[in-house]
Amino acid sequence: MQVSRRTCNCLDRDIHPTHRGQTQRQMPPTTLSEIIFPEQANHNFSKILGDLKRSNLSITNRLKSVRHDASFVQQVAESLGLPLVANERCGSWYIDPSRKAGSAYFKSTDGHTGQWKFSTRRLNPHLLDLIGQHDGCIIVDSTRRGKRMPDALSKTIPVWCCVLNRVLFPDNAPSHELFVPANVVSDNERSQMEARIPEFIASFLALDINLSSLRGRLKKPLRPLWITQDDPSVDVAEEISRSSHPVVCCTSSRRVIGAEMSEAGYIQGAGDDTENWAHGLTAALFWQHADELLSTDETDLPDLIRSLVEGGSHHHAGPESTSEAKQVAPYLYVAPLSGETTPSPTAAETLCVIALVPRTTEPATWVKSKSLMEVGLGKNKTASRMLRDVLPRICEFASRYLADLESKPEKKIIIQCESGKDLSVGVALCLYCWCFNAAGKVRGMDAQREPFTKNSIRVKLGHIMMAQPDLNPSRATLQSVNSFLMDWRK
């Protein structure tokens, strides 16, 4: 027992015995700096990891991953014999433009857990024509590392199919079920989603859309199905094809569980977040110059992309041409900004241009003539926020131009912004509410207006999106419109 106790003491104290009777010397304790890497070593280690991650997430690896995933998408299309639809913005990177049948606008945020939504401003009615003509379609999208499929494909589209089936095929009970991918959406979440379908149907019906027109585009209900690189076979059984139009939700990218560094350069969802890596490169430019881009060294790619972007820019048609202008409501059109905005004296009698330019200008300079207003809002979210303050002046300008519409019914107003899809749509929506009554007649300058409500504005927006589904006003833009219209008396 004495030996045992001594041995334990020796181990505990780290004391080495010497000669009997001599004082035993204790070794100095290990310091923290000997255990932990010194600060410089930590810094170098973090830098090495950062460099490795950046090299793996290079432009070259992204573009190679996109092309790899695009080949899978094409195989799916050839196997099923259905047209390819890109869920924008990401989906277009994975489809050769020559094989792209159209675009869709389903947001993953509308499918986030607990926040499920049937968007009345992303109705995608144009897809019904394509689906009816080809007995189905394939909608392509991707998602970030670690996820099996994007929420847009696993939840947003299933809700869309379910709502349309119940509204357009009220007597077809089997089609009223909410179909979701069982390996992604739990039974509990599915039940919660299904409980909200009546609410979504009510919001859809509140738009007062011509349902018989929509119903005429389809021969049978919609049935969502799912395909991924991890599960590349989709069973479009004869029974399903006979009773439903298949809407195949194709996740283009392979799922990556660990870090990208373990994937030999492959990047899941490589076409996403382009603002962080693409230097202005678009999906269309990539496909047009894919071979050149993929054969260029990484260090030279930014310069090459810059030259391609500059070479691909072009001037839009002038304001006297409506070839690129899209009608969104009676007398109202939207279009991208053109190089020249001033209508000729002859055109000014029937054509008014409201240009929203991406630089800030003094309000005193906005009105150029009775048929031209050039408003300097700035860019991006700043412009969307500023819109609230300039809408009163825009509405007054447009109302004056439309005052003699009865004697000149051929008049048009074209609203332009950089994309032709955001700020211009917000202004068109505001003018549609402000200048026209429920019957579509022009209101007088001093006409009494009933208070605007979210629902009345939503109905007008629904009409615009039904007419031009590819328009995409941002949340900030729509918030500015709502804020002005609902507070206009104040």
Side-chain angles (χ1 to χ4, degrees), residues 322 324-336 412-417 419-433 436 440 457-473:
T322 58
E324 291 196 31
K326 298 178 179 179
Q327 186 170 10
V328 295
Y331 312 105
L332 299 177
Y333 295 74
V334 297
K412 298 180 179 68
I413 296 180
I414 296 180
I415 306 109
Q416 300 176 335
C417 70
S419 66
K421 296 182 177 184
D422 182 13
L423 293 171
S424 57
V425 181
V427 171
L429 171 62
C430 187
L431 296 182
Y432 191 18
C433 295
F436 299 90
I457 299 169
R458 188 182 298 117
V459 168
K460 291 289 182 73
L461 177 60
H463 293 168
I464 289 175
M465 300 311 296
M466 286 292 292
Q468 300 294 344
D470 61 333
L471 302 180
N472 189 30

Side-chain angles (χ1 to χ4, degrees), residues 246-309:
V247 179
V248 180
C249 301
C250 176
T251 302
S252 58
S253 296
R254 173 169 56 84
R255 187 184 186 190
V256 173
I257 302 297
E260 289 92 347
M261 286 182 288
S262 64
E263 295 296 322
Y266 177 78
I267 302 172
Q268 181 181 355
D272 208 356
D273 298 325
T274 53
E275 60 274 10
N276 295 327
W277 63 269
H279 297 278
L281 183 69
T282 63
L285 276 176
F286 163 67
W287 282 102
Q288 187 178 350
H289 304 280
D291 291 338
E292 182 181 6
L293 287 162
L294 290 171
S295 62
T296 300
D297 289 338
E298 178 72 22
T299 54
D300 298 326
L301 271 175
D303 289 336
L304 172 60
I305 291 172
R306 194 174 299 111
S307 66
L308 295 178
V309 171

Side-chain angles (χ1 to χ4, degrees), residues 377 382-393 423 430 476-477 479-490:
L377 286 178
T382 300
S384 293
R385 287 192 294 267
M386 284 188 62
L387 187 62
R388 163 67 179 86
D389 297 324
V390 306
L391 283 173
R393 297 189 61 172
L423 293 171
C430 187
T477 294
Q479 285 176 339
S480 288
V481 173
N482 282 353
S483 177
F484 163 66
L485 290 175
M486 295 174 68
D487 295 341
W488 68 273
R489 291 183 183 275
K490 300 178 181 179

Side-chain angles (χ1 to χ4, degrees), residues 232-245:
S233 62
V234 59
D235 182 18
V236 185
E238 183 179 348
E239 181 180 351
I240 293 177
S241 297
R242 187 168 57 249
S243 61
S244 307
H245 292 303

Side-chain angles (χ1 to χ4, degrees), residues 113 116 154-155 178 180-194:
T113 301
W116 314 286
S154 63
K155 289 179 275 191
L178 175 62
V180 294
N183 60 345
V184 175
V185 182
S186 68
D187 290 340
N188 181 49
E189 183 174 9
R190 178 190 170 281
S191 297
Q192 294 180 63
M193 293 167 62
E194 194 161 32

Side-chain angles (χ1 to χ4, degrees), residues 135-399:
D135 193 19
C137 72
I138 302 168
I139 302 178
V140 179
D141 202 352
S142 187
T143 189
R144 58 179 170 78
R145 174 172 59 88
K147 293 197 68 174
R148 191 182 300 273
M149 65 179 68
D151 288 343
L153 299 188
S154 63
K155 289 179 275 191
T156 307
I157 291 177
V159 165
W160 179 77
C161 291
C162 183
V163 169
L164 291 181
N165 285 346
R166 294 193 187 189
V167 171
L168 302 181
F169 300 90
D171 299 326
N172 191 324
S175 71
H176 296 176
E177 182 179 345
L178 175 62
F179 296 98
V180 294
N183 60 345
V184 175
V185 182
S186 68
D187 290 340
N188 181 49
E189 183 174 9
R190 178 190 170 281
S191 297
Q192 294 180 63
M193 293 167 62
E194 194 161 32
R196 298 191 61 181
I197 296 297
E199 169 193 336
F200 300 152
I201 291 174
S203 67
F204 180 44
L205 294 177
L207 299 178
D208 195 24
I209 292 171
N210 185 344
L211 297 181
S212 61
S213 172
L214 294 181
R215 174 64 180 82
R217 304 180 191 185
L218 297 174
K219 302 177 181 67
K220 44 194 174 180
L222 307 172
R223 172 65 186 273
L225 301 164
W226 298 270
I227 187 168
T228 68
Q229 290 197 39
D230 300 315
D231 185 13
S233 62
V234 59
D235 182 18
V236 185
E238 183 179 348
E239 181 180 351
I240 293 177
S241 297
R242 187 168 57 249
S243 61
S244 307
H245 292 303
V247 179
V248 180
C249 301
C250 176
T251 302
S252 58
S253 296
R254 173 169 56 84
R255 187 184 186 190
V256 173
I257 302 297
E260 289 92 347
M261 286 182 288
S262 64
E263 295 296 322
Y266 177 78
I267 302 172
Q268 181 181 355
D272 208 356
D273 298 325
T274 53
E275 60 274 10
N276 295 327
W277 63 269
H279 297 278
L281 183 69
T282 63
L285 276 176
F286 163 67
W287 282 102
Q288 187 178 350
H289 304 280
D291 291 338
E292 182 181 6
L293 287 162
L294 290 171
S295 62
T296 300
D297 289 338
E298 178 72 22
T299 54
D300 298 326
L301 271 175
D303 289 336
L304 172 60
I305 291 172
R306 194 174 299 111
S307 66
L308 295 178
V309 171
E310 291 173 356
S313 62
H314 60 278
H315 290 295
H316 296 285
E320 296 181 37
S321 168
T322 58
S323 59
E324 291 196 31
K326 298 178 179 179
Q327 186 170 10
V328 295
Y331 312 105
L332 299 177
Y333 295 74
V334 297
L337 281 168
S338 59
E340 174 62 47
T341 59
T342 307
S344 68
T346 303
E349 292 299 317
T350 59
L351 181 64
C352 174
V353 175
I354 300 174
L356 310 172
V357 297
R359 61 182 183 277
T360 55
T361 55
E362 290 297 322
T365 68
W366 289 350
V367 177
K368 306 297 185 183
S369 70
K370 67 177 184 179
S371 60
L372 175 62
M373 187 178 195
E374 191 173 278
V375 182
L377 286 178
K379 295 176 70 70
N380 304 327
K381 289 184 178 180
T382 300
S384 293
R385 287 192 294 267
M386 284 188 62
L387 187 62
R388 163 67 179 86
D389 297 324
V390 306
L391 283 173
R393 297 189 61 172
I394 293 176
C395 287
E396 180 183 359
F397 176 80
S399 294

